[in-house]
Amino acid sequence: MMVTRFAPSPNGPLHLGHAYSAIVAHDLAREAGGRFLLRVEDIDGTRSKPELSDAFRADLAWLGLEWEEVPAQSTRITSYAKAASRLKAQGLLYPCVCTRTEIAAAITTMGPEGPIYPGTCKRCPPDNTQGAAWRLDVSAALKRTGELTWIDALAGEQIARADQLGDVVLLRKEAPASYHLAVTLDDAADGVTLVTRGRDLFAATHIHRLLQELLNIPVPRWHHHPLLVDGSGTKLAKRRGSPALADRRKAGEDGSSLAANLRRNLFPSGISLQQS
Ligand code: GLU
C-alpha cells in the first residue's frame, strides 16, 4: 500500500509552499488508495514552538485534507540513540568538537547543501568527547555498502552520492539527533513507501539512502516535487514575507478553493513553480 507523509517542523508557520507539498503528498496517497500521514518534526527543541503544531492541523483541515497523525519526533528519541549506537559500534561515527567559526574558517569545498566539513576532527580526534557532535564517516560507510541507488518518481534512478554532502552530523550537540538520522528512521518506522517532499531536499536523500543500508531498514521511493518560488526565483519562506496559511485562514479565505487552485498549478500573482 502506498504511504506518503507531510513532515513539517514547528519552527515557523506553514505557507503556500507547505500547502503545495502537503497536497502533493495527500493526493498521491489518495489516488493510489493509500495512507497520508502527518508527522511533526519537533526535534529541534531550541526552535520548536509546540503551539504551531495545532495551527498546522488547523491549516491542513482548512485546505480540505484528511490525514493520520503519527507520533512526533520528540517521542522517538530512544530510537535515534539506539541507531546511533549501532553506527558507533561499527566505527562509522566520529566525535567532532569544532565550532561553527572553526569550520567556517577551514572550509575548502562547497557541496549541494552548503560547505563540506573539512574532516578536522577525523584527522585529529578530540581528547574529550563530552558535548561533541557525532559525524558519519561517509567514506568508511560507502566502503562498507558499495554503490547504492535510489529512485525518484520524477527524476528517475539516482546513484547515491553521499560523498557530495561530506561527513554530516548525525547526533547534534544541542539536539538528540540530526534531521538526517531522525527522518530516515521515522519514515521507516511509519512504513512510508513514497517520501514526498520539496526538491530542496533532493541532495539529502543521498545520505538517507546510505543510512538505510547501514541500518538495514526498508528503502522507499522518493518524489521530490518542484518548489514554489517568488518573482525573483527564491523559495517561499515566511521570513521573506510569504503569508502564513494561518493568516489566510483567519482572514476568512476559502481553503478548499486555494487547494483546488494549487492542484491546477494556479498560484497567486508573483508565485510560480520553479523550473528545473
Ligand atoms: N521537517 C522538514 C522541514 O520542515 C521536512 C522533512 C522532510 O520532508 O523530509 O523542512
Side-chain angles (χ1 to χ4, degrees), residues 5 7-9 41 179 183 197 201:
R5 67 4 172 232
S9 303
E41 302 215 316
Y179 159 67
V183 82
R197 59 185 173 209
L201 289 168

Side-chain angles (χ1 to χ4, degrees), residues 1-16:
M1 174 184 289
M2 159 102 65
V3 182
T4 69
R5 67 4 172 232
F6 176 57
S9 303
N11 47 29
L14 302 186
H15 54 66
L16 270 187

Side-chain angles (χ1 to χ4, degrees), residues 52-109:
L52 281 174
S53 307
D54 285 334
F56 290 179
R57 294 179 196 102
D59 291 340
L60 296 183
W62 174 70
L63 289 167
L65 306 185
E66 285 177 17
W67 66 92
E68 287 171 57
E69 185 158 355
V70 292
Q73 282 187 329
S74 52
T75 67
R76 306 184 188 210
I77 309 297
T78 333
S79 85
Y80 310 146
K82 269 195 198 146
S85 306
R86 283 173 57 198
L87 295 172
K88 276 186 195 170
Q90 295 176 57
L92 295 176
L93 300 191
Y94 64 87
C96 171
V97 293
C98 293
T99 62
R100 275 175 206 275
T101 326
E102 284 165 349
I103 296 174
I107 292 295
T108 53
T109 322

Side-chain angles (χ1 to χ4, degrees), residues 44-197:
D44 189 343
T46 52
R47 293 171 66 208
S48 285
K49 300 193 189 84
E51 66 281 6
L52 281 174
S53 307
D54 285 334
F56 290 179
R57 294 179 196 102
D59 291 340
L60 296 183
W62 174 70
L63 289 167
L65 306 185
E66 285 177 17
W67 66 92
E68 287 171 57
E69 185 158 355
V70 292
Q73 282 187 329
S74 52
T75 67
R76 306 184 188 210
I77 309 297
T78 333
S79 85
Y80 310 146
K82 269 195 198 146
S85 306
R86 283 173 57 198
L87 295 172
K88 276 186 195 170
Q90 295 176 57
L92 295 176
L93 300 191
Y94 64 87
C96 171
V97 293
C98 293
T99 62
R100 275 175 206 275
T101 326
E102 284 165 349
I103 296 174
I107 292 295
T108 53
T109 322
M110 286 301 281
E113 281 215 318
I116 305 260
Y117 177 64
T120 322
C121 284
K122 182 174 163 185
R123 283 191 307 276
C124 185
D127 295 331
N128 183 355
T129 63
Q130 196 159 12
W134 289 78
R135 291 182 178 273
L136 179 64
D137 184 339
V138 170
S139 59
L142 283 171
K143 258 189 217 134
R144 184 145 323 174
T145 62
E147 185 172 282
L148 302 170
T149 58
W150 55 275
I151 295 173
D152 182 85
L154 302 178
E157 189 173 32
Q158 309 292 316
I159 292 175
R161 297 291 316 275
D163 51 324
Q164 278 186 356
L165 284 88
D167 291 349
V168 292
V169 168
L170 292 193
L171 291 180
R172 295 173 52 191
K173 285 180 194 165
E174 72 283 12
S178 73
Y179 159 67
H180 296 301
L181 182 61
V183 82
T184 304
L185 291 166
D186 293 348
D187 281 333
D190 295 338
V192 172
T193 61
L194 183 69
V195 174
T196 305
R197 59 185 173 209

Side-chain angles (χ1 to χ4, degrees), residues 205-260:
T205 302
H206 295 310
I207 289 288
H208 303 173
R209 178 67 190 89
L210 177 59
L211 288 174
Q212 285 152 0
E213 202 68 15
L214 296 171
L215 294 165
N216 196 21
I217 54 182
V219 182
R221 292 162 70 95
W222 284 264
H223 178 114
H224 292 98
H225 61 72
L227 299 176
L228 289 192
V229 290
D230 63 18
S232 64
T234 312
K235 180 184 152 183
L236 299 190
K238 179 70 174 90
R239 64 176 184 283
R240 285 190 290 269
S242 187
L245 297 182
D247 293 340
R248 293 171 175 266
R249 172 163 57 79
K250 288 177 198 153
E253 191 176 328
D254 180 352
S256 306
S257 311
L258 175 67

